[in-house]
Amino acid sequence: MLIKKLGTNLGVEISELNIKKDVNKNIISKIVDLLSEFSVVVIRAQNINNEEHITFSELFGNLEFTKVGTDGSGSKVIILRNFAEDGTILPVSDRQRLNNLANQVWHSDSSFKEIPSKTSILSAKIIPNNGGNTDFLSMRAVYKSLPDELKNKIDSKICWHDYSFGRSKIDPGLVSKNEKEKLPPVKQRMVLTNKRYGKSLYLGAHCSKIDGMGKKESAELLLELNTYFDNKSFIYSHVWKPYDLIMWDNRAVLHRATPIIGEIQKRLMVRTTIAGKSSTLF
Ligand SMILES: [Fe+2]
């Protein structure tokens, strides 16, 4: 197994590893360490089916079941695609396409759950020729860059995360009544602490409001914090190759898809999500 650093503040690439044959206790523990330190681990050339994807993912913990209203609902995989079963590209107004649009905003997977996910594992099946990348943003680097005064202001703040909040901005009808009922807003700590690697900011598209603050005051503070995201050295942008597998730490990075450039082409990705073990509040 070969390891290469990717971004300045995050990301490593593993090559010369076949996750169907080569994994053992030592390899798993090495990947866990890399994930803790670098937040994003890219494993090249893994042509796996969904069963193999699940088997590998379960070596790292229990998996989340896919929520209502998402392709793959009730199973351990999420299917992200922009085309129908018959292969035709879906219209822009289709739920899948609108959800893909929502995924182009910085977010942390499952931050709208009481116990948000720890890690996502995404496998590329079909990728467009141009665009459709995934950007990752180091929220440890963002936190570190904040002035002390701002750090002190936010260290003990709690945010509300609401699945329908971000989605409704894309299209007011995108979230169904059933989804709203099943996914009520939850509270999350705004600053998370990793015992070994320090503090990180925990925000993203699902964060609707800061608890205990007025609407305007909360929106202004969130906007101010967002201005610190805009630093190239905090971002690793992954240009996918077919069969790349990426694992990322949802409690240390935000991520977003980038638009497909030019004529729309098929994109098919499959994701598993490792459940978190505890709430961010305690
Ligand atoms: Fe995501």
Side-chain angles (χ1 to χ4, degrees):
M1 157 165 128
L2 294 175
I3 298 162
K4 186 179 96 181
K5 241 186 122 190
L6 294 169
T8 316
N9 281 284
L10 72 169
V12 286
E13 177 187 303
I14 294 177
S15 54
E16 308 287 316
L17 173 75
N18 181 336
I19 63 161
K20 289 190 272 191
K21 292 194 307 200
D22 302 337
V23 282
N24 57 40
K25 237 177 151 183
N26 288 342
I27 299 270
I28 296 302
S29 135
K30 181 69 190 166
I31 294 174
V32 169
D33 288 348
L34 289 170
L35 203 50
S36 299
E37 185 172 358
F38 298 101
S39 309
V40 177
V41 174
V42 175
I43 311 177
R44 296 285 189 187
Q46 307 300 313
N47 185 356
I48 48 170
N49 62 32
N50 291 355
E51 277 315 305
E52 289 160 343
H53 190 157
I54 290 168
T55 303
F56 173 72
S57 305
E58 284 181 332
L59 296 170
F60 299 89
N62 294 329
L63 300 189
E64 289 187 355
F65 284 92
T66 304
K67 63 173 177 52
V68 287
T70 300
D71 199 355
S73 180
S75 78
K76 292 176 179 174
V77 292
I78 293 180
I79 318 287
L80 299 154
R81 59 178 170 158
N82 58 1
F83 57 91
E85 299 281 351
D86 65 4
T88 51
I89 297 281
L90 294 163
V92 254
S93 57
D94 184 90
R95 266 181 69 85
Q96 275 276 20
R97 290 284 301 276
L98 291 170
N99 273 323
N100 293 345
L101 216 53
N103 287 330
Q104 291 177 13
V105 183
W106 288 121
H107 65 281
S108 175
D109 292 333
S110 303
S111 76
F112 51 82
K113 291 185 179 175
E114 230 163 276
I115 297 182
S117 74
K118 168 73 184 135
T119 306
S120 293
I121 307 182
L122 188 60
S123 166
K125 310 295 183 192
I126 304 173
I127 50 165
N129 290 332
N130 209 350
N133 304 337
T134 301
D135 292 342
F136 296 94
L137 172 66
S138 168
M139 296 307 274
R140 281 183 200 147
V142 171
Y143 181 83
K144 246 185 233 161
S145 74
L146 303 177
D148 284 347
E149 199 186 325
L150 192 50
K151 283 181 185 163
N152 293 335
K153 190 173 177 183
I154 62 165
D155 266 350
S156 54
K157 289 265 184 288
I158 304 288
C159 291
W160 285 94
H161 286 239
D162 180 356
Y163 179 72
S164 54
F165 173 75
R167 289 296 194 268
S168 303
K169 281 190 189 165
I170 303 291
D171 183 314
L174 185 54
V175 182
S176 69
K177 194 167 167 270
N178 189 25
E179 283 175 295
K180 274 189 186 155
E181 279 169 13
K182 293 255 165 65
L183 303 166
V186 298
K187 285 180 183 178
Q188 306 290 4
R189 208 165 267 292
M190 189 194 265
V191 177
L192 306 181
T193 305
N194 178 300
K195 277 184 197 146
R196 186 146 180 214
Y197 296 106
K199 291 181 178 178
S200 60
L201 202 54
Y202 190 61
L203 291 172
H206 306 303
C207 173
S208 58
K209 193 183 169 301
I210 301 167
D211 191 49
M213 284 179 107
K215 209 175 164 186
K216 188 170 172 276
E217 197 191 357
S218 159
E220 281 170 3
L221 181 51
L222 290 173
L223 206 63
E224 184 185 357
L225 290 167
N226 269 264
T227 62
Y228 290 88
F229 291 10
D230 195 17
N231 183 324
K232 276 196 178 135
S233 76
F234 299 167
I235 296 172
Y236 165 66
S237 184
H238 186 74
V239 180
W240 291 91
K241 288 183 188 156
Y243 309 128
D244 281 348
L245 186 76
I246 303 193
M247 308 175 70
W248 67 85
D249 180 348
N250 276 309
R251 299 195 184 194
V253 295
L254 294 182
H255 63 282
R256 67 179 177 195
T258 71
I260 294 170
I261 298 165
E263 196 193 342
I264 189 92
Q265 290 182 315
K266 284 189 197 172
R267 187 175 191 262
L268 173 63
M269 320 287 277
V270 176
R271 194 185 95 199
T272 54
T273 317
I274 299 168
K277 283 189 181 150
S278 57
S279 156
T280 62
L281 298 175
F282 312 108

